[in-house]
């Protein structure tokens, strides 16, 4: 078995841990160089058909590059395994758009080219967003945009409790607000603490907001973050349902109008307008004050390794087209993403002032695989979500749950 196939086979196991939280494969088309031929693009947006603006953009980018684009949309969970299998079989697509935590897995398996190899300019990309696709200082793609987390609030509930959302700048102020809300007869905060990557995604703003680092889950800061969540549940500020909540079911709780806050993402903006009550959005506060680093969601545009390297010149044109300022603005609006460049972010805020809080949140955000964690991240995330499930269910104290998690993560990442 070749080295590439061995590395890809190992990546399958890692991918199974990452996916929890977005047809048949085709060959990579003609083996021609820069002009003519068919170029394949795989993306995680099966909801978009040929009549959508997204697919029309892909087609137009191909036309501008002088080639025909053959596009396939897969579910996120299916796309990663398809990409790994295609690499093993030597028929990878020319352009692959994947969820950002998967980039390091594919790169480590030798599936992806670097942006330097492809001669893709990343200078305008926000460094904290680009970092989610970097390993050892090498970038393996460009973020098509980003989403992250913040706190939605119900204005009527806060008004009744006498809470000013603008005054919530740290954990103490947020917990005091939840206490007032409960005293007023309403419910405090809903979030997702489910035992999957989705739960880890929601825990990370509090974990990072304490100053904790993923390489030491049981630090004093990490314990403080879990004690915060645990205290909310014990005090009745958060419901026991958080243990089983996905981000969708958590949002459904908030949409009843009974809760003051919901930890959720940009993807709920359209649903927020349908709730029937006045809402607002504030950043997730860090323990000591200021905006906590929330994890970045969203996809990267990448270029899988091809045997025919002459194809890369057209691939670069396709990626350049998809991530150009004008096209990024349209695409990010469609996907409810914040753009990866400051210039397009400013354009988004100019068109919709409501996005300002999200732009600020994205600027403070960080990738789950950043800090050169790469493929170590899923081996840390699973013990972490097991820890907060254990603590919130009352089976162990936050300190003991995270001590066990750290032992497990340390052994897995040696």
């Amino acid at each position: 078995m070749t080295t590439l196939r061995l590395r890809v086979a190992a990546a399958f196991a890692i991918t199974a841990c990452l996916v929890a939280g977005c047809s048949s494969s085709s060959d990579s088309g003609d083996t021609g160089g820069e002009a003519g031929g068919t170029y394949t693009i795989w993306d995680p947006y099966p909801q978009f058909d040929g009549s959508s603006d997204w697919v029309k953009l892909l087609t137009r980018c191909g036309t501008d590059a002088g080639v025909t684009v053959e596009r396939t949309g897969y579910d996120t969970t299916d796309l990663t395994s398809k990409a790994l299998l295609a690499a093993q079989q030597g028929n990878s697509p020319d352009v692959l758009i994947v969820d950002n935590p998967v980039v390091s897995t594919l790169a480590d398996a030798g599936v992806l080219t670097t942006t330097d190899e492809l001669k893709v300019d990343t200078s305008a990309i926000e460094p904290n967003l680009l970092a989610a696709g970097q390993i050892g200082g090498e970038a393996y793609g460009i973020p098509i945009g980003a989403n992250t987390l913040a706190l939605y609030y119900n204005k009527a509930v806060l008004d009744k409790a006498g809470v000013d959302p603008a005054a919530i700048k740290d954990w103490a102020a947020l917990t005091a607000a939840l206490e007032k809300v409960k005293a007023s007869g309403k419910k405090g905060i809903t979030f997702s603490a489910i035992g999957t990557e989705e739960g880890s995604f929601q825990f990370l703003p509090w974990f990072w907001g304490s100053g904790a680092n993923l390489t030491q889950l049981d630090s004093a800061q990490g314990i403080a973050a879990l004690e915060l969540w645990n205290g909310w549940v014990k005090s009745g500020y958060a419901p026991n349902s958080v243990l089983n909540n996905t981000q969708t079911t958590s949002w459904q709780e908030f949409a009843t109008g009974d809760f003051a806050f919901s930890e959720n993402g940009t993807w709920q903006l359209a649903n927020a307008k349908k709730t029937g009550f006045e809402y607002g959005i504030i950043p997730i506060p860090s323990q000591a004050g200021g905006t906590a680093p929330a994890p970045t969601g969203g996809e990267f545009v990448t270029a899988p390794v091809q045997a025919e390297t002459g194809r890369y010149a057209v691939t670069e044109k396709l990626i350049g087209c998809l991530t150009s300022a004008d096209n990024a603005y349209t695409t990010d609006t469609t996907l409810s993403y914040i753009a990866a460049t400051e210039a397009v972010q400013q354009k988004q805020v100019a068109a919709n002032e409501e996005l300002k809080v999200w732009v600020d949140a994205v600027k403070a955000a960080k990738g789950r695989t950043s800090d050169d964690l790469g493929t170590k991240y899923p081996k840390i995330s699973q013990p972490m979500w097991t820890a907060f499930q254990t603590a919130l269910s009352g089976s162990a104290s936050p300190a003991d749950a995270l001590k066990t998690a750290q032992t497990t993560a340390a052994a897995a990442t040696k």
Side-chain angles (χ1 to χ4, degrees):
M1 186 178 286
T2 66
T3 301
L4 173 60
R5 289 184 178 181
L6 284 169
R7 290 168 70 185
V8 171
F12 272 108
I14 295 171
T15 302
C17 297
L18 273 172
V19 174
C22 216
S23 92
S24 61
S25 62
S26 58
D27 63 31
S28 58
D30 298 345
T31 58
E34 292 193 26
T38 298
Y39 281 66
T40 52
I41 297 179
W42 292 0
D43 67 49
Y45 313 127
Q47 69 271 31
F48 296 133
D49 61 21
S51 66
S52 66
D53 289 341
W54 168 247
V55 177
K56 288 177 181 176
L57 171 61
L58 299 181
T59 301
R60 187 170 73 252
C61 287
T63 300
D64 291 348
V67 299
T68 299
V69 162
E70 182 181 290
R71 174 259 181 178
T72 306
Y74 293 102
D75 289 330
T76 296
T77 52
D78 199 26
L79 178 58
T80 307
S81 58
K82 292 283 188 186
L84 289 167
L85 182 61
Q88 278 188 316
Q89 296 174 341
N91 62 357
S92 293
D94 293 285
V95 177
L96 176 65
I97 302 170
V98 291
D99 195 17
N100 73 70
V102 177
V103 174
S104 60
T105 299
L106 297 179
D108 189 66
V111 174
L112 304 178
T113 64
T114 67
T115 55
D116 284 345
E117 289 171 323
L118 205 65
K119 297 180 174 57
V120 171
D121 182 12
T122 62
S123 59
I125 306 297
E126 294 286 298
N128 65 319
L129 301 184
L130 189 64
Q134 289 178 318
I135 298 178
E138 293 279 7
Y140 288 87
I142 292 185
I144 202 167
N147 54 36
T148 193
L149 297 165
L151 295 179
Y152 289 83
Y153 65 83
N154 183 321
K155 187 176 184 302
V157 171
L158 293 189
D159 285 348
K160 181 181 178 183
V163 171
D164 176 9
I168 298 174
K169 302 293 186 182
D170 55 28
W171 289 2
L174 178 56
T175 300
L178 296 177
E179 183 178 9
K180 289 180 180 180
V181 168
K182 183 182 178 185
S184 74
K186 288 292 188 176
K187 300 176 181 178
I189 186 169
T190 176
F191 51 87
S192 170
I194 194 169
T196 68
E197 179 58 29
E198 205 164 350
S200 290
F201 190 79
Q202 292 240 321
F203 183 59
L204 280 172
W206 313 99
F207 184 81
W208 282 333
S210 71
N213 189 293
L214 284 169
T215 58
Q216 193 64 46
L217 294 176
D218 62 345
S219 66
Q221 295 91 340
I223 293 169
L226 186 46
E227 286 177 339
L228 180 72
W229 265 20
N230 200 52
W232 288 348
V233 172
K234 280 188 172 181
S235 300
Y237 301 157
N240 288 324
S241 58
V242 298
L243 276 161
N244 298 309
N245 270 347
T246 64
Q247 292 179 110
T248 298
T249 57
S250 170
W251 179 262
Q252 290 168 348
E253 288 181 333
F254 179 67
T256 64
D258 292 330
F259 282 85
F261 297 97
S262 170
E263 179 184 354
N264 232 295
T266 50
W267 54 88
Q268 298 293 3
L269 276 172
N271 289 328
K273 293 175 172 60
K274 300 175 184 176
T275 58
F277 54 77
E278 190 175 353
Y279 71 92
I281 306 163
I282 59 173
I284 295 174
S286 65
Q287 182 177 22
T291 300
T296 56
E299 289 77 40
F300 268 59
V301 186
T302 69
V305 172
Q306 303 293 334
E308 296 290 338
T309 58
R311 300 181 67 83
Y312 293 153
V314 170
T315 300
E316 189 275 332
K317 291 178 182 178
L318 294 174
I319 292 177
C321 177
L322 292 175
T323 58
S324 70
D326 288 343
N327 290 334
Y329 175 77
T330 302
T331 298
D332 290 338
T333 299
T334 299
L335 298 175
S336 294
Y337 283 171
I338 298 303
T341 65
E342 185 173 5
V344 181
Q345 289 173 359
Q346 290 175 353
K347 186 176 179 181
Q348 288 180 302
V349 173
N352 181 2
E353 181 62 29
E354 189 179 36
L355 295 179
K356 177 66 166 60
V357 67
W358 292 110
V359 167
D360 291 343
V362 163
K363 284 183 179 296
K366 63 187 295 183
R368 285 162 278 176
T369 57
S370 297
D371 301 325
D372 262 343
L373 285 179
T375 56
K376 292 180 180 180
Y377 171 73
K379 300 173 185 178
I380 297 169
S381 177
Q382 187 163 356
M384 183 170 65
W385 81 56
T386 301
F388 59 66
Q389 281 265 303
T390 300
L392 296 181
S393 65
S395 299
S397 69
D400 287 344
L402 285 172
K403 183 178 180 180
T404 299
Q406 176 59 27
T407 299
T408 302
T413 57
K414 279 183 179 178

